[in-house]
Amino acid sequence: SPPATPPAASPPAASPVAASAATAMLLGGAVARHCHACAQPRPLRAKHCRACGRCVCDFDHHCPWINNCVGARNRSSFYLFISLLLADAAAVAALSADALLEPSPHPAPDERPTTLLWLALAVAAPASLLLARFWLHRTRNALANLTTNERLNRRRYAHFRSPNGALVNPFDRGAARNCIAFLCPAKPRTASLLSAA
């Protein structure tokens, strides 16, 4: 006769960690975690912004200039904004320097235009250097298909580690495809649940 099977044991009580893991689900091919602040699933690459009080898909950073998060839906617009600011500051600096260096055929009766040109140059030149650095960081992130948050915190995120522990970029599809994905993002599948900024 077959051996008797032992009675089934009752399942152990769920711990908070197990309950949190149980709320994880598959969304858009990426494992979601649970956002305790929003009380909803949070897909991979999304982050809860404390300043905005919401989860943002492909969270890049919270920008005080625009008083909003930069994320999946507005990062290409933000990149254009930074590009135009840089072009404007560089043009003001270059035109001011050119006007100051070029001898005037008619001497000015007062020094006010020269003072304004020096002031414009003094503001625009450092601003264009700072904006150029910021623009280069945005460009580097677009070429690598990374967000600023991921670049700064990738050592903390498990999906940036290979099985042997080396840092990898699982989102890199080559510079051209990365730029297309950056400039023409697909609508997030969880748009009804999360803000994309």
Side-chain angles (χ1 to χ4, degrees):
S1 84
T5 57
S10 61
S15 70
V17 173
S20 176
T23 61
M25 58 182 9
L26 200 60
L27 290 177
V31 175
R33 299 167 315 270
H34 183 77
C35 178
H36 298 288
C38 293
Q40 65 184 7
R42 184 178 64 193
L44 193 64
R45 303 188 87 177
K47 184 176 185 296
H48 186 85
C49 176
R50 284 181 265 152
C52 291
R54 63 181 182 222
C55 284
V56 178
C57 289
D58 290 354
F59 178 84
D60 191 86
H61 68 285
H62 181 85
C63 179
W65 290 6
I66 61 172
N67 193 30
N68 198 9
C69 289
V70 176
R73 288 193 193 148
N74 69 351
R75 66 182 175 195
S76 57
S77 299
F78 184 75
Y79 185 77
L80 178 63
F81 171 65
I82 295 300
S83 300
L84 292 175
L85 279 178
L86 173 59
D88 185 47
V92 168
L95 292 172
S96 299
D98 183 56
L100 286 167
L101 294 174
E102 184 178 309
S104 175
H106 307 289
D110 63 7
E111 291 295 317
R112 220 173 304 161
T114 304
T115 304
L116 290 176
L117 286 172
W118 278 110
L119 181 63
L121 182 63
V123 171
S128 57
L129 292 175
L130 291 171
L131 285 166
R133 182 173 177 179
F134 192 65
W135 182 85
L136 286 171
H137 283 291
R138 304 280 75 71
T139 302
R140 180 182 65 173
N141 286 350
L143 291 171
N145 196 11
L146 286 175
T147 66
T148 301
N149 177 58
E150 290 167 342
R151 187 170 292 281
L152 295 175
N153 297 308
R154 63 182 166 212
R155 295 186 191 287
R156 293 179 26 208
Y157 297 142
H159 56 275
F160 282 101
R161 296 240 178 236
S162 69
N164 66 0
L167 286 176
V168 295
N169 180 357
F171 308 113
D172 188 11
R173 295 178 284 181
R177 285 185 182 165
N178 290 344
C179 287
I180 291 169
F182 180 85
L183 295 172
C184 307
K187 186 175 179 182
R189 289 182 61 181
T190 56
S192 63
L193 297 175
L194 300 174
S195 168

